[in-house]
Amino acid sequence: MCEHHDLTTPLGAVADPAARARSPLGRRALLRGAGGVLLTGGVITAGAQSASAATSQNGWTAGTSSQIPLSSLAVGAATFPSGVRAGDVYTVLRYVAVQFNATVEALYSPGCWGHNYREISGSTSLSNHASGTAIDCNAPDHPLGAAGTFSSAQVSAIRTILTRCNGVVRWGGDYSSRKDEMHFEINVPPGDSRLPTLAASLGGGGGTPTPPSGWTLVRQGDTGFRVSAVQHLLRQRGYSVGADGIFGSGTDGAVRSFQSSRGLSADGIVGQHTWTALIVNVQSGSQGEAVIGVQKCLTAKGYSTGADGIFGSGTDAQVRAFQRSRGLPDDGIVGSNTWQALTA
């Protein structure tokens, strides 16, 4: 994750070349956030100080995950921990991540980062990550201060992404001083008309959607479609658990194991933090257990669709209809807000 963003030129992540070998570049990294160290499994210890009314470097309101609206972000094989700011920012940064994964290089985890409330190292100013308006892509391969970590063809692909974003997004590889080639950030302040215009052109709904009132708690002894959703999400993440809609001892054990792997309280209760860590973004073209979970939830909500694990045109249409019924952007993407509404 980006460690420094100086007051004129944001900077990127600290990486130790001896820590992680990957790709032809052969770089390895131990990533540090302000006041914390990223350990195996993506757990961050000793986090930043508590948030107050403040703004990040680009002028956006900063805060902890409970203070600013965030949507989970997962692209390809990568999950961006804590997600990014909901609404138009999400639409744009997700576009960047999707295009990066498709045209620059495949994204992976751990190595991609989103929201993280913290000050810039050695400063009282807040990083753009603190407002959920920045992402880091494959950080260990593109460490802070390193230039030329991408091939000319990859840089050309990045330029194509930036051109499409019409100045709304800035790349750390363009910083005038120390480079930060992993890093992409929103480069306009709140209220700049270019952001919603770009988001709308990318298929976003515009603005920040009104989220559902809260995540529904699911625990041992429960039954039904919410339990099925939990089970299919666990299966998507590699846990061997039945998908019978019954929250028994096997599901309880898998939930506790998952919670421990994410540094969460292993109480077996699927609440806000566990749901947020567990969900997987899916959309047209996606396949797998998470899609089955979405399909079962849709059917339970009255939007009948087959549970074949294939996010085809029928599932897409039902997702969009459901989103419209809940006042969400009907973009067909099942992210944090849509998952929350589906499991309400």
Side-chain angles (χ1 to χ4, degrees), residues 298-328:
L298 282 169
T299 297
K301 294 291 186 179
Y303 296 82
S304 183
T305 183
D308 58 3
I310 300 173
F311 203 127
S313 58
T315 299
D316 181 73
Q318 293 292 55
V319 166
R320 291 174 188 269
F322 175 79
Q323 289 172 324
R324 288 191 294 272
S325 76
R326 298 305 192 272
L328 298 169

mmCIF file of all heavy atoms in Angstrom, residues 298-328:
data_model
loop_
_atom_site.group_PDB
_atom_site.id
_atom_site.type_symbol
_atom_site.label_atom_id
_atom_site.label_comp_id
_atom_site.label_asym_id
_atom_site.label_seq_id
_atom_site.Cartn_x
_atom_site.Cartn_y
_atom_site.Cartn_z
ATOM 1 N N LEU A 298 -32.047 -13.530 -5.092
ATOM 2 C CA LEU A 298 -32.993 -12.898 -6.009
ATOM 3 C C LEU A 298 -34.324 -13.648 -6.007
ATOM 4 O O LEU A 298 -35.398 -13.037 -5.922
ATOM 5 C CB LEU A 298 -32.414 -12.884 -7.423
ATOM 6 C CG LEU A 298 -31.353 -11.829 -7.731
ATOM 7 C CD1 LEU A 298 -30.689 -12.121 -9.073
ATOM 8 C CD2 LEU A 298 -31.951 -10.423 -7.743
ATOM 9 N N THR A 299 -34.249 -14.955 -6.099
ATOM 10 C CA THR A 299 -35.473 -15.765 -6.113
ATOM 11 C C THR A 299 -36.252 -15.585 -4.813
ATOM 12 O O THR A 299 -37.485 -15.451 -4.822
ATOM 13 C CB THR A 299 -35.129 -17.247 -6.342
ATOM 14 O OG1 THR A 299 -34.527 -17.389 -7.640
ATOM 15 C CG2 THR A 299 -36.376 -18.114 -6.264
ATOM 16 N N ALA A 300 -35.540 -15.551 -3.703
ATOM 17 C CA ALA A 300 -36.200 -15.364 -2.401
ATOM 18 C C ALA A 300 -36.869 -13.998 -2.300
ATOM 19 O O ALA A 300 -37.857 -13.834 -1.585
ATOM 20 C CB ALA A 300 -35.185 -15.535 -1.270
ATOM 21 N N LYS A 301 -36.339 -13.019 -3.028
ATOM 22 C CA LYS A 301 -36.898 -11.673 -3.013
ATOM 23 C C LYS A 301 -37.981 -11.475 -4.071
ATOM 24 O O LYS A 301 -38.485 -10.367 -4.255
ATOM 25 C CB LYS A 301 -35.778 -10.648 -3.224
ATOM 26 C CG LYS A 301 -34.761 -10.584 -2.101
ATOM 27 C CD LYS A 301 -35.340 -10.008 -0.834
ATOM 28 C CE LYS A 301 -34.284 -9.820 0.240
ATOM 29 N NZ LYS A 301 -34.837 -9.229 1.482
ATOM 30 N N GLY A 302 -38.302 -12.539 -4.795
ATOM 31 C CA GLY A 302 -39.357 -12.442 -5.788
ATOM 32 C C GLY A 302 -38.884 -12.195 -7.200
ATOM 33 O O GLY A 302 -39.699 -11.952 -8.100
ATOM 34 N N TYR A 303 -37.574 -12.260 -7.430
ATOM 35 C CA TYR A 303 -37.002 -12.057 -8.766
ATOM 36 C C TYR A 303 -36.434 -13.397 -9.230
ATOM 37 O O TYR A 303 -35.224 -13.629 -9.197
ATOM 38 C CB TYR A 303 -35.932 -10.961 -8.731
ATOM 39 C CG TYR A 303 -36.499 -9.611 -8.352
ATOM 40 C CD1 TYR A 303 -36.722 -9.280 -7.018
ATOM 41 C CD2 TYR A 303 -36.841 -8.692 -9.330
ATOM 42 C CE1 TYR A 303 -37.268 -8.053 -6.661
ATOM 43 C CE2 TYR A 303 -37.391 -7.457 -8.988
ATOM 44 C CZ TYR A 303 -37.599 -7.148 -7.654
ATOM 45 O OH TYR A 303 -38.153 -5.933 -7.314
ATOM 46 N N SER A 304 -37.320 -14.248 -9.650
ATOM 47 C CA SER A 304 -36.964 -15.634 -9.913
ATOM 48 C C SER A 304 -35.934 -15.776 -11.021
ATOM 49 O O SER A 304 -36.032 -15.160 -12.087
ATOM 50 C CB SER A 304 -38.223 -16.419 -10.290
ATOM 51 O OG SER A 304 -37.924 -17.784 -10.496
ATOM 52 N N THR A 305 -34.935 -16.585 -10.759
ATOM 53 C CA THR A 305 -33.896 -16.893 -11.736
ATOM 54 C C THR A 305 -33.302 -18.248 -11.386
ATOM 55 O O THR A 305 -33.352 -18.684 -10.232
ATOM 56 C CB THR A 305 -32.793 -15.813 -11.743
ATOM 57 O OG1 THR A 305 -31.840 -16.112 -12.755
ATOM 58 C CG2 THR A 305 -32.089 -15.732 -10.394
ATOM 59 N N GLY A 306 -32.769 -18.938 -12.368
ATOM 60 C CA GLY A 306 -32.141 -20.219 -12.110
ATOM 61 C C GLY A 306 -30.907 -20.075 -11.240
ATOM 62 O O GLY A 306 -30.286 -19.006 -11.193
ATOM 63 N N ALA A 307 -30.538 -21.137 -10.540
ATOM 64 C CA ALA A 307 -29.355 -21.127 -9.671
ATOM 65 C C ALA A 307 -28.268 -21.981 -10.298
ATOM 66 O O ALA A 307 -27.843 -22.992 -9.735
ATOM 67 C CB ALA A 307 -29.712 -21.620 -8.279
ATOM 68 N N ASP A 308 -27.821 -21.558 -11.485
ATOM 69 C CA ASP A 308 -26.828 -22.346 -12.225
ATOM 70 C C ASP A 308 -25.408 -21.807 -12.089
ATOM 71 O O ASP A 308 -24.466 -22.373 -12.643
ATOM 72 C CB ASP A 308 -27.207 -22.427 -13.707
ATOM 73 C CG ASP A 308 -27.326 -21.056 -14.369
ATOM 74 O OD1 ASP A 308 -27.056 -20.037 -13.692
ATOM 75 O OD2 ASP A 308 -27.693 -21.005 -15.563
ATOM 76 N N GLY A 309 -25.261 -20.698 -11.364
ATOM 77 C CA GLY A 309 -23.926 -20.135 -11.165
ATOM 78 C C GLY A 309 -23.386 -19.385 -12.351
ATOM 79 O O GLY A 309 -22.208 -19.014 -12.370
ATOM 80 N N ILE A 310 -24.234 -19.102 -13.335
ATOM 81 C CA ILE A 310 -23.804 -18.363 -14.520
ATOM 82 C C ILE A 310 -24.548 -17.034 -14.564
ATOM 83 O O ILE A 310 -25.781 -16.998 -14.614
ATOM 84 C CB ILE A 310 -24.088 -19.165 -15.808
ATOM 85 C CG1 ILE A 310 -23.330 -20.489 -15.778
ATOM 86 C CG2 ILE A 310 -23.695 -18.350 -17.041
ATOM 87 C CD1 ILE A 310 -23.694 -21.412 -16.926
ATOM 88 N N PHE A 311 -23.806 -15.938 -14.533
ATOM 89 C CA PHE A 311 -24.403 -14.596 -14.527
ATOM 90 C C PHE A 311 -24.642 -14.188 -15.978
ATOM 91 O O PHE A 311 -23.871 -13.465 -16.591
ATOM 92 C CB PHE A 311 -23.463 -13.605 -13.837
ATOM 93 C CG PHE A 311 -24.134 -12.366 -13.291
ATOM 94 C CD1 PHE A 311 -23.956 -12.000 -11.973
ATOM 95 C CD2 PHE A 311 -24.921 -11.562 -14.103
ATOM 96 C CE1 PHE A 311 -24.551 -10.859 -11.453
ATOM 97 C CE2 PHE A 311 -25.525 -10.422 -13.610
ATOM 98 C CZ PHE A 311 -25.338 -10.066 -12.273
ATOM 99 N N GLY A 312 -25.745 -14.701 -16.519
ATOM 100 C CA GLY A 312 -26.090 -14.397 -17.901
ATOM 101 C C GLY A 312 -27.077 -13.257 -17.993
ATOM 102 O O GLY A 312 -27.311 -12.521 -17.026
ATOM 103 N N SER A 313 -27.718 -13.132 -19.160
ATOM 104 C CA SER A 313 -28.612 -12.000 -19.405
ATOM 105 C C SER A 313 -29.840 -12.045 -18.492
ATOM 106 O O SER A 313 -30.335 -10.989 -18.065
ATOM 107 C CB SER A 313 -29.046 -11.990 -20.867
ATOM 108 O OG SER A 313 -29.692 -13.206 -21.223
ATOM 109 N N GLY A 314 -30.324 -13.251 -18.178
ATOM 110 C CA GLY A 314 -31.478 -13.352 -17.302
ATOM 111 C C GLY A 314 -31.183 -12.879 -15.896
ATOM 112 O O GLY A 314 -31.958 -12.114 -15.303
ATOM 113 N N THR A 315 -30.059 -13.328 -15.357
ATOM 114 C CA THR A 315 -29.663 -12.873 -14.014
ATOM 115 C C THR A 315 -29.382 -11.378 -14.021
ATOM 116 O O THR A 315 -29.760 -10.654 -13.089
ATOM 117 C CB THR A 315 -28.420 -13.646 -13.535
ATOM 118 O OG1 THR A 315 -28.731 -15.045 -13.470
ATOM 119 C CG2 THR A 315 -27.967 -13.172 -12.164
ATOM 120 N N ASP A 316 -28.735 -10.898 -15.078
ATOM 121 C CA ASP A 316 -28.433 -9.464 -15.183
ATOM 122 C C ASP A 316 -29.721 -8.640 -15.151
ATOM 123 O O ASP A 316 -29.809 -7.626 -14.441
ATOM 124 C CB ASP A 316 -27.665 -9.196 -16.475
ATOM 125 C CG ASP A 316 -27.286 -7.729 -16.638
ATOM 126 O OD1 ASP A 316 -26.378 -7.272 -15.916
ATOM 127 O OD2 ASP A 316 -27.899 -7.043 -17.481
ATOM 128 N N ALA A 317 -30.722 -9.064 -15.891
ATOM 129 C CA ALA A 317 -31.985 -8.328 -15.930
ATOM 130 C C ALA A 317 -32.663 -8.317 -14.570
ATOM 131 O O ALA A 317 -33.207 -7.283 -14.131
ATOM 132 C CB ALA A 317 -32.916 -8.951 -16.973
ATOM 133 N N GLN A 318 -32.613 -9.444 -13.869
ATOM 134 C CA GLN A 318 -33.243 -9.518 -12.556
ATOM 135 C C GLN A 318 -32.484 -8.687 -11.517
ATOM 136 O O GLN A 318 -33.097 -8.060 -10.655
ATOM 137 C CB GLN A 318 -33.350 -10.977 -12.094
ATOM 138 C CG GLN A 318 -34.307 -11.833 -12.917
ATOM 139 C CD GLN A 318 -35.759 -11.430 -12.737
ATOM 140 O OE1 GLN A 318 -36.131 -10.270 -12.932
ATOM 141 N NE2 GLN A 318 -36.590 -12.388 -12.363
ATOM 142 N N VAL A 319 -31.170 -8.688 -11.612
ATOM 143 C CA VAL A 319 -30.379 -7.851 -10.695
ATOM 144 C C VAL A 319 -30.725 -6.381 -10.909
ATOM 145 O O VAL A 319 -30.946 -5.624 -9.952
ATOM 146 C CB VAL A 319 -28.865 -8.085 -10.902
ATOM 147 C CG1 VAL A 319 -28.053 -6.976 -10.217
ATOM 148 C CG2 VAL A 319 -28.451 -9.441 -10.350
ATOM 149 N N ARG A 320 -30.783 -5.950 -12.156
ATOM 150 C CA ARG A 320 -31.090 -4.543 -12.439
ATOM 151 C C ARG A 320 -32.495 -4.179 -11.960
ATOM 152 O O ARG A 320 -32.718 -3.088 -11.408
ATOM 153 C CB ARG A 320 -30.943 -4.273 -13.933
ATOM 154 C CG ARG A 320 -29.496 -4.328 -14.429
ATOM 155 C CD ARG A 320 -29.413 -4.200 -15.947
ATOM 156 N NE ARG A 320 -28.071 -4.442 -16.440
ATOM 157 C CZ ARG A 320 -27.142 -3.509 -16.612
ATOM 158 N NH1 ARG A 320 -27.435 -2.250 -16.330
ATOM 159 N NH2 ARG A 320 -25.946 -3.820 -17.052
ATOM 160 N N ALA A 321 -33.454 -5.086 -12.172
ATOM 161 C CA ALA A 321 -34.816 -4.820 -11.693
ATOM 162 C C ALA A 321 -34.844 -4.720 -10.170
ATOM 163 O O ALA A 321 -35.513 -3.834 -9.604
ATOM 164 C CB ALA A 321 -35.756 -5.932 -12.168
ATOM 165 N N PHE A 322 -34.128 -5.613 -9.509
ATOM 166 C CA PHE A 322 -34.055 -5.559 -8.047
ATOM 167 C C PHE A 322 -33.408 -4.258 -7.584
ATOM 168 O O PHE A 322 -33.885 -3.612 -6.647
ATOM 169 C CB PHE A 322 -33.274 -6.755 -7.515
ATOM 170 C CG PHE A 322 -33.036 -6.713 -6.029
ATOM 171 C CD1 PHE A 322 -34.044 -7.065 -5.141
ATOM 172 C CD2 PHE A 322 -31.819 -6.291 -5.516
ATOM 173 C CE1 PHE A 322 -33.846 -7.010 -3.767
ATOM 174 C CE2 PHE A 322 -31.611 -6.225 -4.151
ATOM 175 C CZ PHE A 322 -32.626 -6.579 -3.271
ATOM 176 N N GLN A 323 -32.304 -3.858 -8.217
ATOM 177 C CA GLN A 323 -31.634 -2.623 -7.836
ATOM 178 C C GLN A 323 -32.568 -1.423 -7.968
ATOM 179 O O GLN A 323 -32.619 -0.564 -7.086
ATOM 180 C CB GLN A 323 -30.374 -2.424 -8.696
ATOM 181 C CG GLN A 323 -29.254 -3.396 -8.362
ATOM 182 C CD GLN A 323 -28.095 -3.319 -9.339
ATOM 183 O OE1 GLN A 323 -28.292 -3.114 -10.544
ATOM 184 N NE2 GLN A 323 -26.873 -3.501 -8.847
ATOM 185 N N ARG A 324 -33.322 -1.356 -9.065
ATOM 186 C CA ARG A 324 -34.260 -0.248 -9.241
ATOM 187 C C ARG A 324 -35.313 -0.242 -8.141
ATOM 188 O O ARG A 324 -35.707 0.826 -7.641
ATOM 189 C CB ARG A 324 -34.934 -0.335 -10.616
ATOM 190 C CG ARG A 324 -34.014 0.006 -11.782
ATOM 191 C CD ARG A 324 -34.800 0.174 -13.069
ATOM 192 N NE ARG A 324 -35.422 -1.066 -13.526
ATOM 193 C CZ ARG A 324 -34.830 -1.958 -14.303
ATOM 194 N NH1 ARG A 324 -33.583 -1.748 -14.724
ATOM 195 N NH2 ARG A 324 -35.459 -3.053 -14.688
ATOM 196 N N SER A 325 -35.739 -1.423 -7.729
ATOM 197 C CA SER A 325 -36.772 -1.511 -6.695
ATOM 198 C C SER A 325 -36.275 -1.029 -5.344
ATOM 199 O O SER A 325 -37.081 -0.664 -4.476
ATOM 200 C CB SER A 325 -37.275 -2.949 -6.572
ATOM 201 O OG SER A 325 -36.341 -3.777 -5.880
ATOM 202 N N ARG A 326 -34.956 -1.019 -5.164
ATOM 203 C CA ARG A 326 -34.371 -0.596 -3.888
ATOM 204 C C ARG A 326 -33.712 0.784 -3.972
ATOM 205 O O ARG A 326 -33.043 1.215 -3.030
ATOM 206 C CB ARG A 326 -33.329 -1.622 -3.411
ATOM 207 C CG ARG A 326 -33.888 -3.021 -3.148
ATOM 208 C CD ARG A 326 -35.047 -2.998 -2.159
ATOM 209 N NE ARG A 326 -35.397 -4.320 -1.679
ATOM 210 C CZ ARG A 326 -36.254 -5.143 -2.273
ATOM 211 N NH1 ARG A 326 -36.848 -4.771 -3.417
ATOM 212 N NH2 ARG A 326 -36.544 -6.316 -1.753
ATOM 213 N N GLY A 327 -33.889 1.471 -5.093
ATOM 214 C CA GLY A 327 -33.317 2.806 -5.246
ATOM 215 C C GLY A 327 -31.812 2.805 -5.435
ATOM 216 O O GLY A 327 -31.151 3.805 -5.181
ATOM 217 N N LEU A 328 -31.263 1.680 -5.897
ATOM 218 C CA LEU A 328 -29.833 1.565 -6.156
ATOM 219 C C LEU A 328 -29.554 1.790 -7.636
ATOM 220 O O LEU A 328 -30.445 1.590 -8.478
ATOM 221 C CB LEU A 328 -29.328 0.176 -5.750
ATOM 222 C CG LEU A 328 -29.475 -0.194 -4.272
ATOM 223 C CD1 LEU A 328 -29.184 -1.681 -4.068
ATOM 224 C CD2 LEU A 328 -28.537 0.655 -3.424
#
